[in-house]
């Protein structure tokens, strides 16, 4: 008990805990108010068991359990469900940063450098999307579990053999939270493979151990989805040539465009700069050619291993389900921090070079912060526009029902000549900030949220379809609605 009290006191009085709390609030504090992604409308309006079964079909057992407890047993309102998920996500991110920083400080004594590197790894450019879904608390929990698993792997490499069991258990739970982040475990563990491998044999063995610790839980989760539930992502057709082409294109967008979450080429440029500094330092060091080569190869190994851990899960899905977006590419975005850790732990960095690198990394974080705020602001603007359009549609329905005596309970959905998936002048990336009306399945969900009414969806009328396809709107108009008895023909723009 005394040991527990001392440990608690040590954590509470540690200024790093409060520093990471401030950093997390700076990047994600603006999301404290209820915000929506299209999926959120479904979770808030679908039957509880429908949502639970959906998460189970995706292998997200922890999310399914949390959804059942929060919305089924506790019966929290939508607002309180969001608040609970948001607060839990913030706590998980703060804890992950704190624990990772403590681990990094074993190799980097400069506290400023270690804090920057920990932040770059976890609050990386692709981390924003983890905070834009209602299940954000569980998605960020998976990040924390990966960090805790890396801690156990570090202990294992130091000789504590039982730690590998704990690492495996943590990774099983992480996979059952969200599979898109679990590659982070591999990405960070690569540093410790290099650190604890004294020769080629140990290097190979350590790689195998990390691969199994990552791979077995991932395989178990994959088998759970494939054989216990129905999910088209692992049950559909896999065409290797098409999958390979999609993966190559997705990788290019990830590395070069950063999914528009950063200025084009910035992410790639910072990675190349850090790699260049590593190569320069290795060449300039007064060591053998073999040691120089190994240090350079170590950096290339980190890049290749992190890319592999990020891309391979995409290849396991059926071809049509391959979808490169920020949330599923989260591990790769940690490479800037990982290269920074490698640089400062493997080389003797002089003050001038250290200051230059720190300035580069801080500027990178500042640019990332500006983009985070832009996307966050536009998310709320898009949510507002979705709501206003929904209220206008509802008013049209009420006016029609009052005038005719018909009750509208069915919707047919159409698209105009140039459908847009995001409102004009709003930033969007992949699934981030797309309109609620961009997905047919979401239309009835957002209408139910704001009207309290359930609507059936039916196939559209061919004549009306052709009529709408001749039009092109850039804002909502009453001309986009045609009523026919109990059916509303709705054209989204």
């Amino acid at each position: 008990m005394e040991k527990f009290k001392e440990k608690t006191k040590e954590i509470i009085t540690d200024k790093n805990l409060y520093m990471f709390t401030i950093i997390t609030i700076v990047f994600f504090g603006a999301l404290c108010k209820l915000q929506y992604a299209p999926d959120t409308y479904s979770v808030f309006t679908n039957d509880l068991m429908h949502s639970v079964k959906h998460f189970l079909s995706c292998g997200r057992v922890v999310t399914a359990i949390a959804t059942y407890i929060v919305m089924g047993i506790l019966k929290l309102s939508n607002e309180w469900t969001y608040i609970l998920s948001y607060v839990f996500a913030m706590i998980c991110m703060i804890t992950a940063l704190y624990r990772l920083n403590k681990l990094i400080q074993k190799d980097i004594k400069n506290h400023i450098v270690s804090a920057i590197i920990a932040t770059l790894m976890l609050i990386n450019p692709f981390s924003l999307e983890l905070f834009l879904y209602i299940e954000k608390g569980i998605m960020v929990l998976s990040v924390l579990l990966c960090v805790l698993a890396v801690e156990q792997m570090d202990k294992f490499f130091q000789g504590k053999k039982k730690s590998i069991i704990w690492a495996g258990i943590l990774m099983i739970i992480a996979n059952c939270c969200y599979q898109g982040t679990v590659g982070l475990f591999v990405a960070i563990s690569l540093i410790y493979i290099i650190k604890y491998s004294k020769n080629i044999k140990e290097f190979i063995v350590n790689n195998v151990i990390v691969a199994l610790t990552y791979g077995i839980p991932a395989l178990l989760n994959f088998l759970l989805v494939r054989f216990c539930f129905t999910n088209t992502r692992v049950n559909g057709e896999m065409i290797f040539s098409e999958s390979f082409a999609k993966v190559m294109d997705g990788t290019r967008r990830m590395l070069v465009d950063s999914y528009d979450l950063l200025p084009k080429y910035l992410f790639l440029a910072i990675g190349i700069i850090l790699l260049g500094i590593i190569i320069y330092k290795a060449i300039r060091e007064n060591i053998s050619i073999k040691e120089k080569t190994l240090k350079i190869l170590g950096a290339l190994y980190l890049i290749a291993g992190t890319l592999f851990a990020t891309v391979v899960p995409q290849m396991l899905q059926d071809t049509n389900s391959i979808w490169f977006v920020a949330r599923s590419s989260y591990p790769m975005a940690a490479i800037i921090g990982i290269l920074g850790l490698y640089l400062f732990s493997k080389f003797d960095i002089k003050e001038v070079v250290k200051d230059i690198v720190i300035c580069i990394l801080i500027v990178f974080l500042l640019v990332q912060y500006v983009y985070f705020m832009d996307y966050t602001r536009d998310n709320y603007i898009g949510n507002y526009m979705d709501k206003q359009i929904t209220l206008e549609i509802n008013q049209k329905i009420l006016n029609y029902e009052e005038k005719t005596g018909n009750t509208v309970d069915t919707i047919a959905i159409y698209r105009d000549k140039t459908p847009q998936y995001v409102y004009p002048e709003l930033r969007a990336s992949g699934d981030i900030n797309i309109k609620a009306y961009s997905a047919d399945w979401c239309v009835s969900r957002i209408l139910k949220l704001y009207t309290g009414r359930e609507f059936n969806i039916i196939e559209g009328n061919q004549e009306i379809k052709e009529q709408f396809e001749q039009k092109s709107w850039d804002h909502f108009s009453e001309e986009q609605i045609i009523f026919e008895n109990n059916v509303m023909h709705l054209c989204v723009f």
Side-chain angles (χ1 to χ4, degrees):
M1 187 64 181
E2 287 299 320
K3 187 176 181 181
F4 175 76
K5 287 182 179 179
E6 289 177 10
K7 189 67 177 177
T8 303
K9 183 179 179 181
E10 177 190 340
I11 294 172
I12 292 175
T13 56
D14 190 342
K15 61 183 180 181
N16 287 322
L17 178 64
Y18 302 99
M19 175 183 65
F20 287 121
T21 299
I22 293 171
I23 289 172
T24 304
I25 290 173
V26 166
F27 278 94
F28 302 113
L31 291 165
C32 61
K33 183 180 178 182
L34 176 59
Q35 51 79 216
Y36 297 91
D39 300 60
T40 310
Y41 297 109
S42 290
V43 174
F44 282 171
T45 59
N46 277 338
D47 174 72
L48 173 64
M49 292 313 298
H50 183 279
S51 296
V52 170
K53 288 176 181 177
H54 167 72
F55 288 127
L56 287 174
S57 73
C58 296
R60 299 197 228 163
V61 180
V62 175
T63 311
I65 294 171
T67 301
Y68 185 79
I69 292 173
V70 171
M71 305 186 78
I73 298 176
L74 298 179
K75 298 187 183 301
L76 296 185
S77 66
N78 294 339
E79 289 75 12
W80 277 108
T81 297
Y82 181 88
I83 291 171
L84 181 62
S85 184
Y86 171 77
V87 171
F88 188 59
M90 295 291 280
I91 291 172
C92 286
M93 182 58 76
I94 293 166
T95 306
L97 286 165
Y98 179 78
R99 297 294 288 264
L100 181 59
N101 184 60
K102 290 203 74 170
L103 183 62
I104 289 173
Q105 284 180 344
K106 295 177 182 179
D107 300 299
I108 300 177
K109 302 307 177 185
N110 188 303
H111 289 187
I112 294 175
V113 173
S114 65
I116 292 173
I117 287 172
T119 303
L120 283 164
M121 283 192 198
L122 302 187
I123 304 183
N124 62 48
F126 299 163
S127 62
L128 175 64
E129 191 170 16
L130 301 180
F131 276 81
L132 295 179
Y133 290 86
I134 186 60
E135 64 269 30
K136 63 190 76 191
I138 306 301
M139 295 176 85
V140 182
L141 172 61
S142 67
V143 174
L144 172 59
L145 291 169
C146 288
V147 171
L148 297 179
V150 173
E151 283 184 346
Q152 295 302 317
M153 189 56 62
D154 178 62
K155 292 178 182 179
F156 172 79
F157 286 144
Q158 292 180 50
K160 298 178 181 179
K161 301 304 179 185
K162 289 184 179 180
S163 295
I164 195 68
I165 298 173
W166 286 112
I169 292 171
L170 289 166
M171 289 307 297
I172 289 172
I173 301 172
N175 273 277
C176 290
C177 290
Y178 179 61
Q179 301 91 334
T181 59
V182 294
L184 180 71
F185 165 75
V186 175
I188 302 176
S189 293
L190 298 177
I191 284 279
Y192 296 96
I193 289 176
I194 294 174
K195 177 181 177 180
Y196 292 105
S197 298
K198 306 303 180 186
N199 52 56
I200 294 296
K201 181 181 177 181
E202 286 187 2
F203 178 75
I204 294 172
V205 170
N206 289 341
N207 269 280
V208 171
I209 291 170
V210 168
L212 291 175
T213 307
Y214 165 80
I216 292 174
L219 179 61
L220 291 174
N221 188 266
F222 176 82
L223 294 174
L224 177 71
V225 173
R226 189 173 185 87
F227 296 108
C228 296
F229 305 106
T230 301
N231 190 295
T232 56
R233 293 188 178 184
V234 297
N235 288 319
E237 185 179 7
M238 298 176 68
I239 305 171
F240 180 78
S241 59
E242 293 183 17
S243 293
F244 182 77
K246 292 184 74 172
V247 166
M248 292 301 292
D249 179 65
T251 302
R252 181 199 61 77
R253 289 188 294 106
M254 174 176 66
L255 298 178
V256 176
D257 301 333
S258 306
Y259 305 123
D260 296 324
L261 290 168
L262 288 173
K264 192 173 184 178
Y265 296 112
L266 179 64
F267 178 75
L268 191 62
I270 298 297
I272 291 172
I273 289 171
L274 290 174
L275 179 60
I277 294 173
I278 290 170
I279 293 173
Y280 173 79
K281 292 294 296 181
I283 293 173
R284 295 286 296 174
E285 276 197 330
N286 187 25
I287 53 179
S288 68
I289 293 177
K290 178 183 177 181
E291 290 175 307
K292 294 176 190 287
T293 304
L294 286 175
K295 286 194 172 185
I296 294 171
L297 289 176
L300 296 175
Y301 161 77
L302 292 174
I303 296 170
T306 302
L307 183 61
F308 182 82
T310 303
V311 169
V312 166
Q314 294 282 353
M315 293 295 294
L316 295 176
Q317 301 183 99
D318 82 90
T319 301
N320 290 330
S321 296
I322 293 176
W323 182 229
F324 274 75
V325 287
R327 65 184 183 276
S328 62
S329 305
Y330 176 76
M332 191 63 215
I335 193 62
I336 302 298
I338 290 169
L339 287 175
L341 174 57
Y342 185 74
L343 173 63
F344 282 97
S345 63
K346 280 290 183 180
F347 300 93
D348 181 23
I349 307 297
K350 294 181 180 179
E351 285 297 318
V352 175
V353 176
K354 182 189 75 175
D355 291 342
I356 292 173
V357 174
I358 288 175
C359 285
I360 291 172
L361 297 181
I362 289 177
V363 168
F364 180 79
L365 280 172
L366 288 174
V367 173
Q368 178 184 311
Y369 169 77
V370 171
Y371 271 69
F372 271 32
M373 293 304 102
D374 284 347
Y375 274 90
T376 299
R377 176 202 62 212
D378 287 356
N379 178 267
Y380 283 109
I381 293 174
N383 288 171
Y384 174 79
M385 295 177 76
D386 282 333
K387 180 179 180 179
Q388 293 307 306
I389 288 173
T390 305
L391 295 178
E392 285 189 53
I393 293 172
N394 184 52
Q395 190 59 53
K396 301 297 180 188
I397 293 173
L398 294 175
N399 291 343
Y400 169 77
E401 290 178 334
E402 183 179 358
K403 182 178 179 180
T404 64
N406 295 328
T407 299
V408 177
D409 58 11
T410 303
I411 304 174
I413 301 170
Y414 308 83
R415 299 192 179 279
D416 69 5
K417 187 177 181 180
T418 56
Q420 300 295 317
Y421 294 91
V422 61
Y423 292 110
E425 298 183 15
L426 297 189
R427 287 186 179 273
S429 169
D431 296 318
I432 298 175
N433 291 355
I434 61 173
K435 298 189 214 174
Y437 287 91
S438 65
D440 289 358
W441 56 263
C442 190
V443 174
S444 63
R445 300 298 89 200
I446 189 172
L447 282 168
K448 181 178 180 180
L449 180 72
Y450 289 118
T451 69
R453 297 169 58 171
E454 192 74 63
F455 295 92
N456 300 314
I457 303 294
I458 62 170
E459 288 292 326
N461 177 287
Q462 185 60 34
E463 184 179 333
I464 295 176
K465 179 176 181 290
E466 292 174 359
Q467 178 183 333
F468 279 137
E469 286 178 345
Q470 299 302 312
K471 304 291 184 66
S472 180
W473 289 282
D474 56 10
H475 62 277
F476 180 73
S477 167
E478 62 180 18
E479 296 175 359
Q480 294 165 25
I481 296 177
I482 297 175
F483 291 106
E484 183 181 16
N485 299 320
N486 68 321
V487 179
M488 175 176 67
H489 299 277
L490 173 66
C491 181
V492 296
F493 61 96

